[in-house]
Amino acid sequence: MAWNFPLWATLCMLARVAGLFLLLAAGADAHAVLIASSPANNDILAAAPEKILLRFNEAVRVVRFSVAAGDGVAREISASSTGAEVEAPLPRPLAEGTVIFSYRVVSEDGH
């Protein structure tokens, strides 16, 4: 059976492109993903919680955690991780109003 070279070359190129997409898609799943938080995003609370809890899909290590309260001042706070959960006690007193917290974690496997 004789191969038509342009058809064979086209099929090889399509196979390489498909393989590249599969590799890129597999790499995207390698990062930790936030699956739950307490309080949840956009929660409206009558009083400030004692702590913030984050749960990820895999074990993480905390790099940075900060909170900005109603006074607009951002404060670095200590947070600890145990496996896939991160806990950060909130500083007291907190100014009334919206509280925004920001974090950065790295997966235990380095991603």
Side-chain angles (χ1 to χ4, degrees):
M1 177 172 160
W3 283 89
N4 183 349
F5 182 76
L7 176 61
W8 179 80
T10 302
L11 290 175
C12 283
M13 182 59 75
L14 288 175
R16 286 182 182 179
V17 170
L20 179 62
F21 282 125
L22 289 175
L23 286 174
L24 291 175
D29 290 339
H31 298 284
V33 176
L34 180 66
I35 57 174
S37 67
S38 176
N41 189 32
N42 295 322
D43 268 358
I44 298 174
L45 308 173
E50 295 291 320
K51 60 187 172 185
I52 296 170
L53 299 171
L54 305 176
R55 187 175 312 129
F56 293 86
N57 66 332
E58 62 182 278
V60 295
R61 181 175 44 88
V62 178
V63 175
R64 182 185 57 80
F65 210 103
S66 65
V67 63
D71 58 5
V73 177
R75 296 173 184 87
E76 292 288 324
I77 58 175
S78 63
S80 60
S81 61
T82 305
E85 294 189 0
V86 173
E87 181 176 316
L90 289 175
R92 296 285 182 222
L94 279 177
E96 288 190 29
T98 301
V99 176
I100 299 172
F101 65 91
S102 174
Y103 63 91
R104 180 163 183 205
V105 297
V106 176
S107 299
E108 286 281 328
D109 65 2
H111 286 94

